[in-house]
Amino acid sequence: MKKIVIMLCVLAVLGAAGSAVYFSRAGQDMLFSNTVGAMLSRTPNTFDGLRVVVCGSASPLGATTRAQACIMVVTPRHLFLFDVGARSPMRLNQAQAPLGRLDAVFITHYHSDHISGLPDVNLASWVQGRPGPLEVYGPPGIERVIGGFNQAYELDRGYRTAHHGAELLPPKNGPMQPVTIPVEGVVWEDDELTVRSFVVEHDPISPAVGYRVDYQGRSVVISGDSNAVDSLFAAAQDADLLLHDALSRALLDPMIEAAKAQNIPVLPVIMHDVIDYHAATTTLPDRAREAGVKQLAFYHLVPVPPMDLAERIFMRDMPDDVILTNDLHTFDLPSGSSEIIIHEP
């Protein structure tokens, strides 16, 4: 009994001391300085392998705080982004992505939820010391998209260089550089890493592509938006990780009926129209297994599940090993191994 009393007294003293620190000027300054230091720390990736971070798991359909489509692929020598949707720059910041060494961005197609974060990423990597213009790879049409962004943000770049100086923000490094890719084939490679594109099905959007990244015997495939099609699973043959967009009819159908019952204009039609150009969850596990995919994970969720109950419905009838991703889900694929290390957000 005496030990319990002593322990409670110690806890009370510690609590009072902590409260005094938290509510005092000096204590607040100390705590905030330590927090800022941790927030600004961008430790270089020393993980020996392929690291894949979901920096945006949402589609536009559904009320959510999730970011829209964005996948970050990192090795000790490389940093790539695949699509950059709304709010994904915030997730990249939370992931402490060292955007100053961003090598390139790859775009799957030109829906707004896959490109709207590009200007913020371009600015962040320029400010962090990117040594040249940001290369943005995409199928035909990328010149129009990047040309439009560059024109829209021309004044902004000029203001920032005038304010901070050309030595800190060189004007030549500010604009993005579009790179048109073939819809199938190798689009980027060095002696360690290869990025390949392949055609997907997202009609009437054409062209639309997915990407496969191979690095030291490890691989990830990113679908973009697509139905479950042969070209995708051919590209995903024996891949370690497949990140595929996914649509849940178990969630979407009741939403369509509710919108009709409430006479909400337009929305029921839009929700019905998305069914034919996103992969239903039920079409993916068997195809992934037949292709030899080691890990199937869903992202670009249609509709975005807003709560645990909805997530359970989204994954209804799915095999236990299929993953419903959330923002900042991380997959580590060590070199020279078959292991997949999964870090939940």
Side-chain angles (χ1 to χ4, degrees), residues 45-131:
N45 174 36
T46 56
F47 170 70
D48 182 19
L50 193 65
R51 173 166 291 164
V52 182
V53 183
V54 179
C55 294
S57 58
S59 70
L61 186 56
T64 181
T65 58
R66 292 175 183 241
Q68 294 178 349
C70 181
I71 304 297
M72 179 169 64
V73 174
V74 190
T75 80
R77 284 182 53 197
H78 311 88
L79 196 160
F80 299 108
L81 299 179
F82 294 82
D83 291 335
V84 189
R87 294 187 294 278
S88 63
M90 173 184 67
R91 298 298 184 218
L92 290 164
N93 189 51
Q94 290 174 328
Q96 297 184 312
L99 293 179
R101 69 178 187 95
L102 178 61
D103 293 292
V105 177
F106 296 86
I107 302 298
T108 61
H109 66 290
Y110 305 120
H111 265 146
S112 61
D113 58 307
H114 293 255
I115 63 174
S116 63
L118 270 171
D120 288 340
V121 162
N122 182 52
L123 173 61
S125 60
W126 184 34
V127 168
Q128 290 182 36
R130 187 185 66 232

Side-chain angles (χ1 to χ4, degrees), residues 325-342:
T325 67
N326 209 326
D327 293 0
L328 302 182
H329 236 112
T330 300
F331 300 84
D332 282 344
L333 312 177
S335 298
S337 169
S338 60
E339 186 179 15
I340 300 175
I341 304 167
I342 301 168

